[in-house]
Amino acid sequence: MTARYTEALDRLSRVSGVAGALVVEARAGLPVAVDVASGVDSGAVAALAAAMYRGAQRAAETGGYEGVHTLQLEATTGHVVVAGAGEMLVIAVAERDAQLGLVRLETQRAAESLR
């Protein structure tokens, strides 16, 4: 794991309500760097988030938009926030009551630090 990935994950993991932070290779959906709480399946989150992001990119391009910067999944048990960082994705797994504005902002900042 490179120092840049470690720094990005450390910063994101310190946000209140974040149960996991990952850097994932966008095409394959494979985790490159992981910092998750016990009980978070990093492989499943990585694959889900990468597939959602790729699908959203295709839909955005079809609709005439240039690309996706940030994507958020809201589920009964929590949230997954994904931000593009070139060939990598930065993913935050957030608890249901997390401050989503802050989680999105820090996910975007982490992604910008990796571009």
Side-chain angles (χ1 to χ4, degrees):
M1 181 171 9
T2 70
R4 287 179 32 195
Y5 294 161
T6 302
E7 290 171 16
L9 294 184
D10 285 348
R11 182 175 177 164
L12 188 52
S13 294
R14 285 193 300 259
V15 175
S16 179
V18 170
L22 302 88
V23 175
V24 173
E25 199 283 322
R27 285 190 182 155
L30 297 173
V32 174
V34 177
D35 183 6
V36 298
S38 177
V40 175
D41 184 344
S42 60
V45 170
L48 168 71
M52 285 186 339
Y53 193 84
R54 288 189 311 266
Q57 276 188 313
R58 284 191 301 273
E61 290 169 3
T62 299
Y65 294 94
E66 289 190 25
V68 175
H69 294 280
T70 307
L71 181 66
Q72 178 183 327
L73 168 68
E74 183 175 344
T76 305
T77 57
H79 308 270
V80 176
V81 179
V82 186
E87 294 184 11
M88 298 294 177
L89 301 174
V90 175
I91 301 166
V93 178
E95 297 168 353
R96 199 171 122 182
D97 60 347
Q99 294 182 356
L100 290 177
L102 183 56
V103 173
R104 280 191 304 267
L105 177 64
E106 290 301 334
T107 303
Q108 290 167 343
R109 285 181 176 165
E112 288 172 9
S113 75
L114 298 180
R115 286 191 195 126

